[in-house]
Coordinates of all heavy atoms in Angstrom, one line a residue:
M1 N 16.3 -15.1 -10.5 CA 16.7 -13.6 -10.6 C 15.9 -12.7 -9.9 O 16.2 -11.8 -9.3 CB 17.0 -13.4 -12.1 CG 17.5 -12.0 -12.3 SD 19.2 -12.0 -11.7 CE 19.8 -10.7 -12.7
Q2 N 14.5 -13.0 -10.0 CA 13.6 -12.1 -9.4 C 13.6 -12.1 -7.9 O 13.6 -11.0 -7.3 CB 12.1 -12.5 -9.8 CG 11.8 -12.2 -11.3 CD 10.4 -12.7 -11.7 OE1 9.7 -13.1 -10.8 NE2 10.2 -12.6 -12.9
K3 N 13.8 -13.3 -7.3 CA 13.9 -13.4 -5.9 C 15.2 -12.6 -5.5 O 15.1 -11.9 -4.4 CB 14.0 -14.9 -5.5 CG 14.1 -15.1 -4.0 CD 14.0 -16.5 -3.6 CE 14.1 -16.6 -2.1 NZ 14.1 -18.0 -1.7
Q4 N 16.3 -12.9 -6.2 CA 17.6 -12.1 -5.8 C 17.3 -10.6 -5.9 O 17.9 -9.9 -5.0 CB 18.7 -12.5 -6.7 CG 19.0 -13.9 -6.5 CD 20.0 -14.5 -7.7 OE1 20.1 -13.7 -8.7 NE2 20.8 -15.4 -7.4
L5 N 16.6 -10.0 -6.8 CA 16.4 -8.6 -6.9 C 15.6 -8.2 -5.7 O 15.7 -7.1 -5.1 CB 15.7 -8.3 -8.2 CG 16.5 -8.2 -9.3 CD1 15.7 -8.0 -10.7 CD2 17.5 -7.0 -9.4
A6 N 14.5 -9.0 -5.3 CA 13.6 -8.6 -4.3 C 14.5 -8.6 -2.9 O 14.3 -7.7 -2.0 CB 12.4 -9.6 -4.1
V7 N 15.3 -9.6 -2.7 CA 16.1 -9.6 -1.5 C 17.1 -8.5 -1.5 O 17.1 -7.8 -0.4 CB 16.8 -11.0 -1.5 CG1 18.0 -10.9 -0.4 CG2 16.0 -12.1 -1.3
F8 N 17.7 -8.1 -2.6 CA 18.5 -7.1 -2.6 C 17.8 -5.7 -2.3 O 18.3 -4.8 -1.6 CB 19.2 -6.9 -4.0 CG 20.0 -5.6 -4.2 CD1 21.3 -5.5 -3.5 CD2 19.6 -4.6 -5.0 CE1 22.0 -4.4 -3.7 CE2 20.4 -3.4 -5.0 CZ 21.6 -3.3 -4.5
E9 N 16.6 -5.6 -3.0 CA 15.9 -4.3 -2.5 C 15.5 -4.1 -1.1 O 15.6 -3.1 -0.5 CB 14.5 -4.4 -3.5 CG 13.7 -3.1 -3.3 CD 12.5 -3.1 -4.0 OE1 11.9 -4.3 -4.3 OE2 11.9 -2.2 -4.4
R10 N 15.1 -5.3 -0.6 CA 14.7 -5.3 1.0 C 15.9 -4.9 1.8 O 15.8 -4.1 2.7 CB 14.0 -6.5 1.4 CG 12.6 -6.5 0.8 CD 11.9 -7.8 1.5 NE 12.6 -9.0 1.4 CZ 12.4 -9.9 0.3 NH1 11.4 -9.7 -0.4 NH2 12.9 -11.1 0.4
T11 N 17.1 -5.4 1.4 CA 18.4 -5.3 2.1 C 18.6 -3.6 2.0 O 19.0 -3.1 3.1 CB 19.5 -6.0 1.5 OG1 19.2 -7.4 1.6 CG2 20.7 -5.8 2.3
V12 N 18.6 -3.1 0.8 CA 18.8 -1.6 0.6 C 17.8 -0.9 1.6 O 18.2 0.1 2.2 CB 18.9 -1.2 -0.7 CG1 18.9 0.2 -1.0 CG2 20.0 -1.9 -1.5
L13 N 16.5 -1.2 1.4 CA 15.4 -0.5 2.2 C 15.8 -0.6 3.6 O 15.5 0.4 4.4 CB 14.1 -0.9 1.8 CG 13.6 -0.6 0.5 CD1 12.3 -1.2 0.2 CD2 13.4 1.0 0.4
R14 N 16.2 -1.7 4.1 CA 16.5 -1.9 5.6 C 17.6 -0.9 6.0 O 17.4 -0.4 7.1 CB 16.8 -3.3 5.9 CG 15.6 -4.1 6.0 CD 15.9 -5.6 6.7 NE 14.7 -6.3 6.8 CZ 14.3 -7.2 5.9 NH1 15.1 -7.6 4.9 NH2 13.2 -7.9 6.1
R15 N 18.5 -0.8 5.3 CA 19.7 0.1 5.4 C 19.2 1.6 5.5 O 19.7 2.4 6.5 CB 20.8 0.0 4.4 CG 21.6 -1.3 4.7 CD 23.0 -0.8 4.7 NE 23.7 -2.2 5.1 CZ 25.0 -2.2 5.0 NH1 25.8 -1.1 4.6 NH2 25.6 -3.2 5.4
I16 N 18.4 2.0 4.6 CA 18.0 3.4 4.5 C 17.0 3.8 5.5 O 17.0 4.8 6.1 CB 17.3 3.6 3.0 CG1 18.3 3.4 1.9 CG2 16.6 4.9 3.0 CD1 17.7 3.4 0.5
L17 N 16.0 2.8 5.8 CA 15.0 3.1 6.8 C 15.4 2.7 8.3 O 14.7 3.0 9.1 CB 13.7 2.4 6.4 CG 13.0 2.8 5.1 CD1 11.9 1.9 4.7 CD2 12.7 4.3 5.1
A18 N 16.5 2.1 8.5 CA 17.2 1.8 9.8 C 16.3 1.0 10.7 O 15.2 0.4 10.2 CB 17.3 3.2 10.5
A19 N 16.8 0.7 11.8 CA 16.1 -0.4 12.7 C 15.0 0.4 13.5 O 14.8 1.6 13.5 CB 17.2 -0.9 13.6
V20 N 14.3 -0.5 14.2 CA 13.2 0.0 15.1 C 13.4 -0.2 16.5 O 13.9 -1.4 16.8 CB 11.9 -0.8 14.5 CG1 10.8 -0.9 15.6 CG2 11.3 0.0 13.4
C21 N 13.1 0.7 17.4 CA 13.4 0.6 18.7 C 12.1 0.0 19.4 O 11.0 0.6 19.5 CB 13.8 1.8 19.3 SG 14.1 1.6 21.1
D22 N 12.3 -1.3 19.8 CA 11.0 -1.9 20.5 C 11.4 -2.0 21.9 O 12.2 -2.9 22.4 CB 10.8 -3.4 19.9 CG 9.9 -3.3 18.8 OD1 9.2 -2.3 18.6 OD2 9.8 -4.3 18.1
G23 N 10.9 -1.2 22.8 CA 11.3 -1.2 24.1 C 12.7 -0.7 24.4 O 13.2 0.4 24.3
C24 N 13.5 -1.7 24.9 CA 14.9 -1.2 25.1 C 15.9 -2.0 24.2 O 17.1 -2.1 24.5 CB 15.3 -1.7 26.6 SG 14.9 -3.4 27.0
Y25 N 15.4 -2.5 23.1 CA 16.3 -3.2 22.1 C 15.8 -2.8 20.7 O 14.7 -2.3 20.5 CB 16.3 -4.7 22.2 CG 14.9 -5.4 22.1 CD1 14.6 -5.9 20.7 CD2 13.9 -5.6 23.0 CE1 13.5 -6.5 20.4 CE2 12.8 -6.1 22.6 CZ 12.5 -6.6 21.4 OH 11.3 -7.2 21.1
F26 N 16.7 -3.0 19.8 CA 16.5 -2.6 18.4 C 16.4 -4.0 17.6 O 16.9 -4.9 17.9 CB 17.7 -1.9 17.9 CG 17.8 -0.5 18.2 CD1 18.5 -0.1 19.4 CD2 17.1 0.4 17.5 CE1 18.5 1.3 19.8 CE2 17.2 1.8 17.9 CZ 17.9 2.2 19.1
R27 N 15.5 -3.9 16.7 CA 15.2 -5.0 15.8 C 15.2 -4.5 14.3 O 14.9 -3.4 14.0 CB 14.0 -5.7 16.1 CG 12.7 -4.9 15.8 CD 11.5 -5.7 15.8 NE 10.2 -4.9 15.8 CZ 9.8 -4.4 14.5 NH1 10.4 -4.8 13.4 NH2 8.7 -3.8 14.5
R28 N 15.5 -5.4 13.5 CA 15.3 -5.3 12.0 C 13.8 -5.0 11.6 O 13.0 -5.6 12.3 CB 15.8 -6.3 11.1 CG 17.2 -6.5 11.1 CD 17.8 -7.7 10.3 NE 16.8 -8.1 9.4 CZ 17.1 -9.0 8.5 NH1 18.3 -9.6 8.4 NH2 16.2 -9.5 7.7
R29 N 13.6 -4.2 10.6 CA 12.2 -3.9 10.1 C 11.9 -5.2 9.4 O 12.6 -5.9 8.6 CB 12.2 -2.8 9.2 CG 12.4 -1.4 9.9 CD 11.9 -0.3 9.1 NE 12.3 0.9 9.7 CZ 11.5 1.6 10.5 NH1 10.3 1.1 10.7 NH2 11.8 2.7 11.1
Y30 N 10.5 -5.6 9.5 CA 10.0 -6.7 8.9 C 9.8 -6.3 7.3 O 9.5 -5.1 7.2 CB 8.7 -7.2 9.5 CG 8.8 -7.6 10.9 CD1 8.1 -7.0 11.8 CD2 9.8 -8.6 11.3 CE1 8.1 -7.4 13.2 CE2 9.9 -9.1 12.6 CZ 9.1 -8.3 13.6 OH 9.3 -8.8 14.8
S31 N 9.6 -7.3 6.5 CA 9.3 -7.0 5.1 C 8.0 -6.3 4.8 O 8.0 -5.4 4.0 CB 9.4 -8.3 4.2 OG 10.6 -9.0 4.3
D32 N 7.0 -6.6 5.6 CA 5.7 -6.0 5.4 C 5.8 -4.4 5.8 O 5.2 -3.7 5.1 CB 4.7 -6.6 6.4 CG 4.4 -7.9 6.0 OD1 4.6 -8.4 4.8 OD2 3.8 -8.7 6.8
E33 N 6.6 -4.2 6.8 CA 6.8 -2.8 7.3 C 7.5 -2.0 6.2 O 7.2 -0.9 5.9 CB 7.6 -2.6 8.6 CG 7.0 -3.1 9.8 CD 7.9 -3.2 10.9 OE1 9.0 -3.5 10.9 OE2 7.4 -2.8 12.1
L34 N 8.5 -2.7 5.5 CA 9.1 -2.0 4.5 C 8.4 -1.6 3.3 O 8.4 -0.5 2.8 CB 10.5 -2.9 4.0 CG 11.4 -3.1 5.0 CD1 12.5 -4.1 4.4 CD2 12.3 -1.9 5.4
I35 N 7.5 -2.6 3.0 CA 6.6 -2.4 1.8 C 5.7 -1.2 2.2 O 5.5 -0.3 1.2 CB 5.9 -3.7 1.4 CG1 6.8 -4.9 1.0 CG2 4.7 -3.4 0.5 CD1 6.2 -6.2 0.8
I36 N 5.1 -1.2 3.3 CA 4.2 -0.1 3.7 C 4.9 1.1 3.7 O 4.4 2.2 3.2 CB 3.5 -0.5 5.0 CG1 2.6 -1.7 4.9 CG2 2.8 0.7 5.6 CD1 2.0 -2.2 6.2
M37 N 6.0 1.3 4.3 CA 6.8 2.4 4.4 C 7.3 3.0 3.1 O 7.2 4.3 2.8 CB 8.0 2.3 5.3 CG 7.5 2.2 6.8 SD 9.1 2.1 7.9 CE 9.6 3.9 7.9
Y38 N 7.7 2.1 2.0 CA 8.3 2.6 0.9 C 7.1 3.2 0.0 O 7.2 4.1 -0.7 CB 9.0 1.5 0.2 CG 9.7 1.8 -1.0 CD1 10.6 2.9 -1.1 CD2 9.4 1.1 -2.2 CE1 11.3 3.3 -2.2 CE2 10.2 1.5 -3.4 CZ 11.0 2.6 -3.3 OH 11.7 2.8 -4.6
G39 N 6.0 2.4 0.1 CA 4.8 2.8 -0.6 C 4.8 2.9 -2.2 O 4.0 3.5 -2.8
E40 N 5.8 2.4 -2.9 CA 5.9 2.3 -4.3 C 6.0 0.8 -4.9 O 6.1 0.0 -4.0 CB 7.1 3.2 -4.9 CG 6.9 4.5 -4.6 CD 7.8 5.5 -5.3 OE1 8.4 5.0 -6.2 OE2 8.0 6.7 -4.9
L41 N 5.9 0.7 -6.0 CA 6.2 -0.6 -6.7 C 7.4 -1.3 -6.3 O 8.5 -0.5 -6.2 CB 5.9 -0.7 -8.2 CG 4.5 -0.4 -8.7 CD1 4.4 -0.3 -10.1 CD2 3.6 -1.4 -8.2
D42 N 7.6 -2.5 -6.3 CA 8.9 -3.2 -5.9 C 9.6 -3.3 -7.3 O 9.0 -2.9 -8.3 CB 8.7 -4.6 -5.4 CG 7.9 -5.5 -6.5 OD1 7.1 -4.9 -7.2 OD2 8.1 -6.7 -6.3
I43 N 10.9 -3.6 -7.3 CA 11.8 -3.5 -8.3 C 11.4 -4.3 -9.5 O 11.4 -4.0 -10.7 CB 13.3 -3.8 -7.9 CG1 14.2 -3.5 -9.0 CG2 13.5 -5.2 -7.4 CD1 14.7 -2.1 -9.0
V44 N 11.0 -5.6 -9.2 CA 10.4 -6.5 -10.2 C 9.3 -6.0 -11.0 O 9.4 -6.0 -12.2 CB 10.2 -7.9 -9.6 CG1 9.7 -8.8 -10.7 CG2 11.4 -8.4 -8.9
S45 N 8.3 -5.3 -10.3 CA 7.1 -4.8 -11.0 C 7.5 -3.7 -11.9 O 7.0 -3.5 -12.9 CB 6.1 -4.4 -10.0 OG 5.6 -5.5 -9.3
T46 N 8.4 -2.8 -11.4 CA 9.0 -1.7 -12.1 C 9.7 -2.1 -13.4 O 9.4 -1.5 -14.5 CB 9.9 -0.8 -11.2 OG1 9.3 -0.5 -10.0 CG2 10.4 0.4 -12.0
I47 N 10.5 -3.1 -13.2 CA 11.2 -3.6 -14.5 C 10.1 -4.1 -15.5 O 10.3 -4.0 -16.7 CB 12.2 -4.7 -14.1 CG1 13.4 -4.1 -13.4 CG2 12.6 -5.5 -15.3 CD1 14.3 -5.0 -12.7
R48 N 9.2 -5.0 -15.0 CA 8.2 -5.5 -15.9 C 7.5 -4.4 -16.6 O 7.1 -4.4 -17.8 CB 7.3 -6.3 -15.1 CG 7.8 -7.8 -14.9 CD 6.7 -8.6 -14.3 NE 7.3 -9.8 -13.8 CZ 6.7 -10.7 -13.0 NH1 5.6 -10.4 -12.4 NH2 7.3 -11.8 -12.7
L49 N 7.0 -3.3 -15.9 CA 6.4 -2.1 -16.5 C 7.1 -1.5 -17.6 O 6.7 -1.1 -18.6 CB 5.9 -1.2 -15.5 CG 4.7 -1.7 -14.6 CD1 4.4 -0.7 -13.6 CD2 3.4 -1.7 -15.4
S50 N 8.5 -1.4 -17.3 CA 9.4 -0.7 -18.3 C 9.5 -1.6 -19.5 O 9.6 -1.0 -20.6 CB 10.8 -0.6 -17.7 OG 10.7 0.3 -16.6
R51 N 9.6 -2.9 -19.3 CA 9.7 -3.7 -20.5 C 8.3 -3.7 -21.3 O 8.5 -3.6 -22.5 CB 9.9 -5.2 -20.1 CG 11.3 -5.5 -19.6 CD 11.4 -6.9 -19.2 NE 12.7 -7.2 -18.8 CZ 13.0 -8.3 -18.2 NH1 12.1 -9.4 -18.1 NH2 14.3 -8.6 -17.8
L52 N 7.2 -3.6 -20.6 CA 5.9 -3.5 -21.4 C 5.9 -2.2 -22.1 O 5.4 -2.1 -23.3 CB 4.8 -3.6 -20.6 CG 4.4 -5.1 -20.1 CD1 3.4 -5.0 -19.0 CD2 4.0 -5.9 -21.3
R53 N 6.5 -1.0 -21.6 CA 6.5 0.1 -22.1 C 7.3 0.2 -23.4 O 7.0 0.8 -24.4 CB 6.9 1.3 -21.2 CG 6.6 2.7 -21.6 CD 6.9 3.8 -20.7 NE 7.9 3.5 -19.7 CZ 7.8 3.2 -18.4 NH1 6.6 3.2 -17.8 NH2 8.9 3.1 -17.6
W54 N 8.5 -0.4 -23.3 CA 9.4 -0.6 -24.5 C 8.7 -1.3 -25.6 O 8.9 -0.9 -26.7 CB 10.7 -1.2 -24.0 CG 11.7 -1.6 -25.2 CD1 12.0 -2.7 -25.7 CD2 12.3 -0.6 -25.9 NE1 12.8 -2.6 -26.6 CE2 13.0 -1.4 -26.9 CE3 12.5 0.7 -25.9 CZ2 13.9 -0.7 -27.8 CZ3 13.2 1.4 -26.9 CH2 14.0 0.7 -27.8
I55 N 8.2 -2.4 -25.3 CA 7.5 -3.3 -26.3 C 6.5 -2.4 -27.0 O 6.3 -2.6 -28.3 CB 6.9 -4.5 -25.8 CG1 8.1 -5.4 -25.4 CG2 6.0 -5.3 -26.8 CD1 8.8 -5.9 -26.7
G56 N 5.8 -1.5 -26.4 CA 4.7 -0.6 -26.9 C 5.4 0.3 -27.9 O 4.8 0.5 -28.9
H57 N 6.6 0.8 -27.5 CA 7.3 1.7 -28.6 C 7.7 0.9 -29.7 O 7.6 1.3 -30.9 CB 8.5 2.2 -27.9 CG 8.2 3.3 -26.8 ND1 7.5 4.5 -27.0 CD2 8.5 3.4 -25.6 CE1 7.4 5.1 -26.0 NE2 8.0 4.5 -25.0
V58 N 8.3 -0.3 -29.6 CA 8.7 -1.1 -30.7 C 7.5 -1.5 -31.6 O 7.7 -1.5 -32.8 CB 9.4 -2.4 -30.2 CG1 9.8 -3.3 -31.3 CG2 10.7 -1.9 -29.5
S59 N 6.4 -1.9 -31.0 CA 5.3 -2.3 -31.8 C 4.8 -1.2 -32.7 O 4.2 -1.5 -33.8 CB 4.1 -2.9 -31.0 OG 3.5 -1.8 -30.3
R60 N 5.0 0.1 -32.4 CA 4.5 1.2 -33.2 C 5.5 1.7 -34.2 O 5.3 2.6 -34.9 CB 4.0 2.4 -32.2 CG 2.9 2.1 -31.4 CD 2.3 3.2 -30.7 NE 3.2 3.8 -29.8 CZ 3.4 3.2 -28.4 NH1 2.6 2.4 -28.1 NH2 4.3 3.7 -27.6
M61 N 6.8 1.2 -34.1 CA 7.8 1.5 -35.1 C 7.5 1.1 -36.4 O 6.7 0.2 -36.7 CB 9.2 0.9 -34.7 CG 9.9 1.5 -33.4 SD 11.4 0.7 -33.2 CE 12.0 1.5 -31.8
A62 N 8.0 1.7 -37.4 CA 8.0 1.4 -38.8 C 8.7 0.0 -38.9 O 9.6 -0.5 -38.2 CB 8.9 2.3 -39.7
H63 N 8.2 -0.9 -39.9 CA 8.5 -2.2 -40.0 C 9.8 -2.5 -40.6 O 10.4 -3.6 -40.5 CB 7.4 -3.0 -40.9 CG 6.1 -2.9 -40.1 ND1 5.8 -3.6 -39.0 CD2 4.9 -2.4 -40.6 CE1 4.6 -3.5 -38.7 NE2 3.9 -2.7 -39.7
H64 N 10.4 -1.4 -41.2 CA 11.7 -1.5 -41.7 C 12.9 -1.3 -40.7 O 14.0 -1.6 -41.0 CB 11.9 -0.6 -43.0 CG 12.0 0.9 -42.5 ND1 10.8 1.6 -42.4 CD2 12.9 1.7 -42.4 CE1 11.1 2.9 -42.0 NE2 12.6 2.9 -42.0
R65 N 12.6 -0.7 -39.5 CA 13.5 -0.5 -38.5 C 14.2 -1.8 -38.0 O 13.4 -2.8 -37.7 CB 12.9 0.3 -37.5 CG 12.3 1.5 -37.9 CD 12.9 2.8 -37.3 NE 13.8 2.9 -36.2 CZ 13.4 3.7 -35.2 NH1 12.4 4.4 -35.1 NH2 14.4 3.7 -34.1
K66 N 15.4 -1.9 -37.7 CA 16.2 -3.0 -37.2 C 15.6 -3.5 -36.0 O 15.4 -4.8 -35.7 CB 17.7 -2.8 -37.2 CG 18.3 -2.5 -38.5 CD 18.1 -3.7 -39.3 CE 18.7 -3.4 -40.8 NZ 18.4 -4.4 -41.7
V67 N 15.3 -2.6 -35.0 CA 14.8 -3.1 -33.6 C 13.5 -3.8 -33.8 O 13.3 -4.8 -33.2 CB 14.6 -1.8 -32.8 CG1 13.9 -2.1 -31.4 CG2 15.9 -1.1 -32.5
Y68 N 12.6 -3.2 -34.7 CA 11.3 -4.0 -34.8 C 11.6 -5.4 -35.5 O 11.0 -6.3 -35.1 CB 10.4 -3.0 -35.8 CG 9.1 -3.9 -36.1 CD1 8.0 -3.5 -35.2 CD2 9.0 -4.7 -37.3 CE1 6.8 -4.1 -35.6 CE2 7.8 -5.2 -37.4 CZ 6.7 -5.0 -36.6 OH 5.4 -5.5 -36.8
Q69 N 12.4 -5.4 -36.4 CA 12.8 -6.7 -37.1 C 13.4 -7.6 -36.1 O 13.0 -8.8 -36.2 CB 13.7 -6.5 -38.3 CG 13.0 -5.7 -39.5 CD 14.0 -5.4 -40.6 OE1 15.1 -5.7 -40.5 NE2 13.6 -4.7 -41.6
V70 N 14.2 -7.3 -35.2 CA 15.0 -8.2 -34.3 C 13.8 -8.7 -33.4 O 13.8 -9.8 -32.9 CB 16.1 -7.5 -33.6 CG1 16.5 -8.2 -32.4 CG2 17.2 -7.3 -34.6
C71 N 13.1 -7.7 -32.9 CA 11.9 -8.1 -31.9 C 10.9 -9.2 -32.5 O 10.5 -10.0 -31.8 CB 11.3 -6.9 -31.3 SG 12.4 -6.0 -30.1
Y72 N 10.6 -9.0 -33.7 CA 9.6 -9.8 -34.4 C 10.2 -10.8 -35.2 O 9.6 -11.4 -36.0 CB 8.5 -9.0 -34.9 CG 7.8 -8.2 -34.0 CD1 7.9 -6.8 -33.8 CD2 6.7 -8.8 -33.4 CE1 7.2 -6.1 -32.8 CE2 5.8 -8.0 -32.4 CZ 6.1 -6.7 -32.1 OH 5.4 -6.1 -31.3
N73 N 11.5 -11.1 -35.0 CA 12.2 -12.2 -35.6 C 12.2 -12.1 -37.2 O 11.9 -13.2 -37.9 CB 11.8 -13.4 -35.1 CG 12.8 -14.6 -35.2 OD1 13.9 -14.4 -35.4 ND2 12.4 -15.8 -34.8
Q74 N 12.4 -10.9 -37.8 CA 12.5 -10.8 -39.2 C 13.7 -10.0 -39.7 O 13.6 -9.3 -40.5 CB 11.1 -10.1 -39.7 CG 9.8 -10.6 -39.3 CD 8.8 -9.7 -39.6 OE1 9.0 -8.6 -39.8 NE2 7.6 -10.3 -39.4
P75 N 14.8 -10.5 -39.2 CA 16.1 -9.7 -39.6 C 16.3 -10.0 -41.1 O 16.1 -11.0 -41.7 CB 17.1 -10.2 -38.7 CG 16.6 -11.6 -38.3 CD 15.1 -11.6 -38.3
E76 N 16.9 -8.8 -41.7 CA 17.3 -8.9 -43.1 C 18.7 -8.3 -43.2 O 19.2 -7.5 -42.3 CB 16.4 -8.0 -44.0 CG 14.9 -8.6 -44.1 CD 14.2 -7.7 -44.9 OE1 14.6 -6.7 -45.4 OE2 12.9 -8.0 -45.1
G77 N 19.4 -8.7 -44.1 CA 20.8 -8.2 -44.4 C 21.8 -9.2 -44.0 O 21.7 -10.3 -43.9
K78 N 23.2 -8.8 -44.0 CA 24.3 -9.6 -43.8 C 24.4 -10.0 -42.3 O 23.9 -9.3 -41.4 CB 25.6 -8.8 -44.0 CG 25.8 -8.6 -45.4 CD 27.0 -8.0 -45.8 CE 27.2 -7.6 -47.2 NZ 28.6 -7.0 -47.6
E79 N 24.9 -11.2 -42.2 CA 25.1 -11.7 -40.6 C 26.2 -11.0 -39.9 O 27.1 -10.7 -40.5 CB 25.3 -13.2 -40.7 CG 24.0 -13.9 -41.2 CD 24.2 -15.4 -41.1 OE1 24.9 -16.0 -40.3 OE2 23.7 -16.1 -42.0

C-alpha cells in the first residue's frame, strides 16, 4: 500500500510540475527532481506523523472514553 501511495504521489507531481525541455525534446521529470522541487514530506511520512499525533491525543484521553478503550483493547458494555 505504501508503494502504491508513493507511485500515485509522484504521478500527480509529474502532472503538476510538467515536463522538462532538454535541448530539442521533452522528458519526464525524474523522481529525485520531484522530491527536490516539492520540498515537503512525502505522503507516507505525512500519514505516519498524523497517526502518531492521533495516538498522542488518545493516550491523554480519560480512561472511560470509548476511543481510549478501543485503542487500548479494554471495551466495556454491550456488543
Side-chain angles (χ1 to χ4, degrees):
M1 183 67 155
Q2 293 176 4
K3 184 177 179 181
Q4 292 171 338
L5 280 172
V7 169
F8 175 73
E9 181 183 30
R10 285 192 303 268
T11 302
V12 170
L13 287 175
R14 280 192 179 100
R15 285 232 171 168
I16 293 171
L17 298 174
V20 150
C21 182
D22 274 345
C24 57
Y25 66 94
F26 285 90
R27 67 167 175 81
R28 288 178 20 172
R29 292 192 185 270
Y30 300 125
S31 295
D32 297 339
E33 291 175 323
L34 294 173
I35 292 168
I36 291 170
M37 289 181 73
Y38 186 55
E40 294 193 18
L41 292 176
D42 62 333
I43 189 89
V44 175
S45 298
T46 304
I47 291 171
R48 285 184 179 163
L49 287 174
S50 297
R51 286 180 179 173
L52 284 173
R53 191 168 43 244
W54 173 251
I55 288 296
H57 289 301
V58 171
S59 68
R60 290 187 298 272
M61 284 183 179
H63 299 294
H64 68 278
R65 303 239 347 233
K66 294 298 179 196
V67 175
Y68 181 90
Q69 291 174 1
V70 168
C71 285
Y72 289 98
N73 211 8
Q74 302 168 350
E76 293 178 4
K78 294 183 179 180
E79 291 183 36

